[in-house]
Amino acid sequence: MNINDHAKVKRQEVKMLNRKLLEISGVLNVESFDSEEFLLETECGFLAVKGQNLHIKNLSLEQGLVAIEGLVNGLTYLESGSHEKTKGLLGKLFK
């Protein structure tokens, strides 16, 4: 890795408190969300947050910060091919 590659390395921080409050930095966009799943575009790839009674507590895309409240059941980074399938399915659901 040369110095130019090192400059392109992105930073992301995920902080969770008792599965009830999730704070994520490095968020570029909120692709979709409902009370059971959030799909976030982050510096490190697409991140699916699954749970129950999920809602946004705080959102600042300018700072790349999202805070989600509710019962968090799982966090999954999606492969690039998986994102297209998920986006297509969610797109159909939200039409």
Side-chain angles (χ1 to χ4, degrees), residues 59-79:
L59 172 64
S60 173
L61 291 178
E62 294 82 20
Q63 295 178 333
L65 300 173
V66 173
I68 299 171
E69 284 185 320
L71 180 62
V72 177
N73 293 331
L75 303 171
T76 306
Y77 283 94
L78 305 174
E79 299 300 321

Side-chain angles (χ1 to χ4, degrees), residues 16-59:
M16 186 169 12
L17 177 63
N18 297 330
R19 290 180 61 190
K20 297 190 187 295
L21 176 61
L22 181 63
E23 296 176 346
I24 305 170
S25 68
V27 176
L28 303 173
N29 193 24
V30 177
E31 290 288 320
S32 63
F33 66 93
D34 61 28
S35 65
E36 295 182 349
E37 182 174 21
F38 277 66
L39 181 60
L40 308 172
E41 181 182 2
T42 76
E43 298 278 357
C44 296
F46 285 91
L47 176 63
V49 178
K50 295 188 180 187
Q52 299 169 346
N53 300 319
L54 299 176
H55 62 274
I56 293 176
K57 178 181 179 186
N58 191 14
L59 172 64

